[in-house]
Amino acid sequence: MNAFPTVLCTSRRLAIAALALALSPLAMAQSATTFPTQPIKMIIPFPAGGPTDFAARLIADEMSKSLGQPVVVDNRGGAAGMLGTTALAQSRGDGYTIGLIGNGLVTLTPFVRKDVPFDPLKDLIPLSKAVDIPLLLVAHPSVPGQDMKGFLQYAKTHPAQLSYGSDGQASLTHLTMEMFKHEQGLHIVHIPYRGTAQLTNDLLGNTIQLSMSGIAGPLPHVKAGKLKALAVTSAKRAAALPDVPTMIELGMKDFDVTTWFSFFAPAGVPEPIAAKLNEHINRALKQPDVITKLRGSGMEAAPSTQAELDGIVRRYIKQWQGIIKTANIKLED
């Protein structure tokens, strides 16, 4: 009469013991040694063809060589990166799904929108920083002043007569421009856009006079003389535009802002596997050919440890919360 319950109980104990063994440090270390045994999916929360996609494919190719398994780019564009980032956060935490995510999606969006279905500090594991992209303040050639000094003289004496475009309400480019306006005491009208293509067209057509955006977009137009570069926001001058000064050089102390893309994995990835992914991401980013190609597109390779990326994310979250409060930027519905 009691044989079946006894067998069931014994089977349950064996299953629990097997699970405990599988989760033991030794088992995880052995798993990391053999990892990966199948292709890795790299989610990119933007359509193919942009700077993020370009960087991702460069890095994926190098990782495929060093890991011995294909690293396949999976473009998941939509909702300004929200769809792809959500897909990453909700993926299985086994190391076979990673993502190259922009800083706004982990340090801004979850804190200025009410409909974000993930918590970047709980649902994502930092793997490594990947690339830095300086922001570039550019103006239509018709705007008076050939440099920042001349521009500021005009802007301060003509309040509300200039407008600037950003990537959207509470985006990184919006907050950076608001920080600049606050420091300089400027009144420049904000025009939010849903994409950089229309923003660039309107800037070239003088519908708006200024933009603060990642350097990759306006770079060819600056080189062609169709737009006027005023300053970059990084601590050092951009290699792609070495004659353009930084905000810090122009007297704005501690004005160091870049848009950056970093690798994250879903929560639950065993630490030895996360460490192995960090190792191979960093190896790819240190390849001379990768560094050269990224630099040619206005990006700088920026490998890091997991702990360094975690600290960067937390620091940016704190920084932007202060700017949101100072600029009185309202939450989006």
Side-chain angles (χ1 to χ4, degrees):
M1 292 292 292
N2 295 325
F4 179 72
T6 300
V7 171
L8 181 60
C9 184
T10 301
S11 298
R12 185 176 297 157
R13 285 198 299 268
L14 290 172
I16 292 172
L19 178 61
L21 178 61
L23 295 177
S24 70
L26 177 60
M28 288 192 291
Q30 291 172 336
S31 175
T33 300
T34 59
F35 176 87
T37 58
Q38 64 190 55
I40 295 172
K41 178 168 61 179
M42 183 188 291
I43 293 177
I44 309 302
F46 300 104
T52 317
D53 181 68
F54 174 76
R57 292 178 187 277
L58 273 178
I59 298 165
D61 286 346
E62 290 296 328
M63 289 181 67
S64 298
K65 297 174 188 175
S66 64
L67 284 168
Q69 287 286 347
V71 178
V72 182
V73 172
D74 180 8
N75 296 95
R76 300 277 192 97
M82 279 277 292
L83 292 183
T85 308
T86 300
L88 175 66
Q90 296 176 350
S91 295
R92 185 178 177 182
D94 57 8
Y96 287 99
T97 303
I98 62 176
L100 184 60
I101 309 299
N103 59 333
L105 289 163
V106 291
T107 65
L108 277 176
T109 303
F111 306 97
V112 297
R113 293 181 63 104
K114 300 175 182 179
D115 59 349
V116 178
F118 64 87
D119 183 331
L121 297 178
K122 294 180 180 179
D123 299 328
L124 295 173
I125 292 175
L127 293 178
S128 175
K129 199 174 180 185
V131 295
D132 275 323
I133 306 174
L135 299 182
L136 180 66
L137 177 60
V138 295
H140 188 271
S142 65
V143 174
Q146 293 304 308
D147 55 18
M148 180 66 83
K149 182 179 179 180
F151 161 72
L152 288 175
Q153 288 176 343
Y154 177 82
K156 288 180 178 181
T157 55
H158 295 79
Q161 292 189 25
L162 297 173
S163 61
Y164 81 92
S166 78
D167 293 334
Q169 180 75 7
S171 64
L172 176 69
T173 53
H174 176 202
L175 296 187
T176 303
M177 189 64 177
E178 290 301 315
M179 183 166 67
F180 170 69
K181 287 167 53 181
H182 178 74
E183 288 197 11
Q184 295 297 323
L186 303 176
H187 185 184
I188 301 173
V189 179
H190 174 222
I191 308 295
Y193 285 80
R194 292 186 178 272
T196 56
Q198 187 60 50
L199 185 158
T200 302
N201 287 338
D202 284 358
L203 181 59
L204 291 169
N206 202 23
T207 301
I208 56 174
Q209 292 74 50
L210 301 152
S211 82
M212 180 77 78
S213 63
I215 193 173
L219 181 61
H221 303 295
V222 170
K223 289 187 173 182
K226 296 179 180 179
L227 293 175
K228 181 166 49 181
L230 297 176
V232 293
T233 63
S234 50
K236 298 180 180 179
R237 294 193 180 198
L241 291 173
D243 295 330
V244 178
T246 67
M247 292 285 192
I248 294 174
E249 286 179 287
L250 295 169
M252 284 161 271
K253 184 181 178 182
D254 299 326
F255 201 115
D256 178 13
V257 179
T258 60
T259 182
W260 40 263
F261 292 92
S262 299
F263 283 101
F264 293 86
V269 175
E271 180 52 37
I273 290 178
K276 189 168 186 177
L277 287 166
N278 170 272
E279 175 192 343
H280 286 266
I281 290 167
N282 276 256
R283 182 181 298 176
L285 289 166
K286 292 175 182 177
Q287 296 300 313
D289 187 51
V290 171
I291 293 171
T292 299
K293 289 179 178 178
L294 288 173
R295 189 166 288 170
S297 296
M299 295 179 273
E300 292 290 335
S304 77
T305 66
Q306 289 180 258
E308 285 169 344
L309 176 56
D310 182 66
I312 290 167
V313 169
R314 293 175 186 275
R315 185 174 73 248
Y316 266 71
I317 289 173
K318 182 177 180 180
Q319 172 183 322
W320 292 128
Q321 292 309 296
I323 293 171
I324 289 168
K325 183 177 180 180
T326 300
N328 195 30
I329 295 170
K330 303 299 182 182
L331 296 174
E332 293 186 357
D333 295 326

